[in-house]
């Protein structure tokens, strides 16, 4: 319910109306106490954005969620603050996961059974997520709860800070197996952006050197970038007879997730942990017999919390970590000021999926 202290802002929103079509609309946003108005400046395109744009989501999902502004990975500037946490002019990373208690301004224990039971915010039963049913960062005025904005230290450049969301998802998943990573061996399946940033986090944030970390990929030119880990081609590696590992992380998704998951199961030692980060629209057959026989624990994770972002931002102050992450950032950004320009950038990203991320700099 509104009160006298609430204010309003007009937002220019680039909304996906149907696959392949983005149009500009103006939407009035309400600003309440403990909320922050942000101008998104630098964003990156996720495969989830491309699945919406190209119509690869299930028809019922598209019908439910469109029209909607895309993009959930990004940073911006605070233009208005109703919070003591940040001030106008601050450069901030935007946390796209919106638990219902934060959106509605109610105590967490009054939110839902998941929140009451102490589960992290990304499992809120009534929560929302930018660019997935809620207008994302493709707008010039984004209103967020104060807990969803984190100030970026001056030591972290935009080109690194914009990667915080994807890194935070990796951090959230890896924190589950922190004890196993501290003393064991790990493998990462996937030589794309998710695999690269996950492997980089295993190395820089959880301390695994090359002798304890192996990355599996299908393209030698991509694998060459993983110079901090052992590298193996999935086409020629003998998974059944390989030395066993404690943690296996699947970052492939799509049609390759079936083989990656089953190869990971082959490599895991008894009592090992399998983390699934890749996303696929189809059901995947997996080797449950060995999961049972080995006592393997399977963890699924695709989102993160403000706490995970805070840990990532701290880690990103490391020059060595920045140098590793910089490999995935293109030299040139895509500059966007209209809905048509955004659609063209999305089309190009979908048609030519580069190993590097596609980074958008909005000129509002």
């Amino acid at each position: 319910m509104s009160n006298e202290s609430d204010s309003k802002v007009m937002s220019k929103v680039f909304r996906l109306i149907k696959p392949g079509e983005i149009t500009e609309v103006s939407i009035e946003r309400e600003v309440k106490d403990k909320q922050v108005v942000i101008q998104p400046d630098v964003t990156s395109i996720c495969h989830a954005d491309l699945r919406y744009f190209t119509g690869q989501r299930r028809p019922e999902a598209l019908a439910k969620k469109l029209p909607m502004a895309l993009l959930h990975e990004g940073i911006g500037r605070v233009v208005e603050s109703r919070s003591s946490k940040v001030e106008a002019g601050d450069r901030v990373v935007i946390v796209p996961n919106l638990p219902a208690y934060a959106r509605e301004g109610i105590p967490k224990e009054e939110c839902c059974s998941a929140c009451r039971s102490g589960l992290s915010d990304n499992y809120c039963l009534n929560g929302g997520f930018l660019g997935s049913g809620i207008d994302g960062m493709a707008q010039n005025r984004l209103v967020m709860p104060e807990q969803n904005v984190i100030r970026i230290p001056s030591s972290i450049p935009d080109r690194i800070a914009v990667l915080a969301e994807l890194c935070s998802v990796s951090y959230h998943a890896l924190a589950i197996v922190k004890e196993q990573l501290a003393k064991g061996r790990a493998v990462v399946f996937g030589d794309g952006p998710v695999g690269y940033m996950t492997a980089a986090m295993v190395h820089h944030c959880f301390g695994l050197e090359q002798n304890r970390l192996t990355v599996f990929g299908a393209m030698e030119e991509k694998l060459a970038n993983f110079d901090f880990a052992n590298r193996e081609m999935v086409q020629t590696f003998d998974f059944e007879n390989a030395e066993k590992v404690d943690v296996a992380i699947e970052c492939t998704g799509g049609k390759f997730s079936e083989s990656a998951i089953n190869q990971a199961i082959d490599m895991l030692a008894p009592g090992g942990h399998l983390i699934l980060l890749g996303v696929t629209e189809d059901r995947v057959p997996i080797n449950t017999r060995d999961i049972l026989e080995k006592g393997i624990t399977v963890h699924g994770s695709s989102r993160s919390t403000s706490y995970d972002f805070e840990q990532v931002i701290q880690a990103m102050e490391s020059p060595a970590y920045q140098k590793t992450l910089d490999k995935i950032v293109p030299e040139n950004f895509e500059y966007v000021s209209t809905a048509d320009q955004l659609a063209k950038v999305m089309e190009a990203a979908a048609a030519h999926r580069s190993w590097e991320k596609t980074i958008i700099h909005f000129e509002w």
Side-chain angles (χ1 to χ4, degrees), residues 103-120:
R103 292 173 62 191
E104 298 172 11
I106 61 174
K108 186 172 183 178
E109 56 270 18
E110 296 179 13
C111 186
C112 69
S113 59
C115 290
R116 287 194 296 273
S117 67
L119 287 173
S120 60

Side-chain angles (χ1 to χ4, degrees), residues 148-176:
N148 286 73
V149 293
I150 298 170
R151 187 183 286 109
I152 302 169
S154 59
S155 59
I156 305 175
D158 288 355
R159 60 189 291 111
I160 299 300
V162 73
L163 302 176
E165 196 277 335
L166 191 47
C167 291
S168 73
V169 173
S170 298
Y171 181 87
H172 184 85
L174 295 173
I176 298 170

Side-chain angles (χ1 to χ4, degrees), residues 28 35-36 58 68 101 170 279 283 287 300 309 314 337:
E28 188 175 67
Q35 290 187 331
V36 179
R58 296 187 180 94
M68 173 183 70
Y101 72 86
S170 298
V279 177
R283 295 189 177 187
N287 177 10
F309 273 80
Q314 288 182 23
S337 58

Side-chain angles (χ1 to χ4, degrees), residues 42-291:
V42 183
T43 66
S44 64
I45 296 176
C46 173
H47 282 174
D49 298 313
L50 295 179
R51 284 192 290 271
Y52 280 115
F53 183 79
T54 58
Q56 293 179 13
R57 289 298 309 273
R58 296 187 180 94
E60 58 269 26
L62 291 171
K64 180 181 179 180
K65 296 191 177 186
L66 300 186
M68 173 183 70
L70 298 174
L71 306 178
H72 62 268
E73 303 175 0
I75 64 174
R77 292 276 179 181
V78 175
V79 295
E80 179 184 342
S81 178
R82 306 284 295 275
S83 165
S84 60
K85 183 178 178 180
V86 294
E87 300 176 350
D90 282 349
R91 187 174 59 123
V92 295
V93 63
I94 302 162
V95 181
N97 186 55
L98 290 157
Y101 72 86
R103 292 173 62 191
E104 298 172 11
I106 61 174
K108 186 172 183 178
E109 56 270 18
E110 296 179 13
C111 186
C112 69
S113 59
C115 290
R116 287 194 296 273
S117 67
L119 287 173
S120 60
D121 289 347
N122 50 325
Y123 301 113
C124 175
L125 297 177
N126 302 316
F129 196 83
L130 297 184
S132 181
I134 297 175
D135 282 329
M137 299 181 193
Q139 58 180 307
N140 76 334
R141 292 295 182 268
L142 179 66
V143 181
M144 298 292 285
E146 62 179 358
Q147 77 171 55
N148 286 73
V149 293
I150 298 170
R151 187 183 286 109
I152 302 169
S154 59
S155 59
I156 305 175
D158 288 355
R159 60 189 291 111
I160 299 300
V162 73
L163 302 176
E165 196 277 335
L166 191 47
C167 291
S168 73
V169 173
S170 298
Y171 181 87
H172 184 85
L174 295 173
I176 298 170
V177 292
K178 183 177 181 179
E179 291 184 7
Q180 289 76 18
L181 291 174
K183 57 186 178 181
R185 298 179 65 244
V187 292
V188 174
F189 286 83
D191 52 19
V194 176
Y196 184 75
M197 283 189 269
T198 299
M201 176 155 288
V202 172
H203 173 62
H204 287 282
C205 303
F206 290 86
L208 274 72
E209 299 297 337
Q210 191 169 13
N211 63 329
R212 293 199 292 134
L213 174 61
T214 299
V215 177
F216 290 99
M219 301 183 69
E220 289 183 355
E221 61 269 30
K222 291 183 179 180
L223 272 179
N225 292 289
F226 295 74
D227 55 5
F228 49 84
N230 289 318
R231 291 154 283 178
E232 297 285 354
M233 298 289 288
V234 292
Q235 298 95 327
T236 58
F237 191 80
D238 183 1
F239 288 98
E240 290 188 2
N241 297 309
E243 184 179 354
K244 302 307 181 187
V245 300
D246 305 284
V247 177
I249 309 148
E250 180 271 320
C251 301
T252 55
K255 62 183 180 181
F256 298 112
S257 60
E258 177 184 345
S259 59
I261 291 170
N262 288 301
Q263 288 160 349
I265 292 170
D266 287 340
M267 285 201 72
L268 281 167
H273 292 256
L274 172 59
I275 295 176
L276 306 180
L277 287 175
V279 177
T280 177
E281 291 294 308
D282 301 313
R283 295 189 177 187
V284 178
I286 63 174
N287 177 10
T288 56
R289 175 176 291 276
D290 278 358
I291 289 178

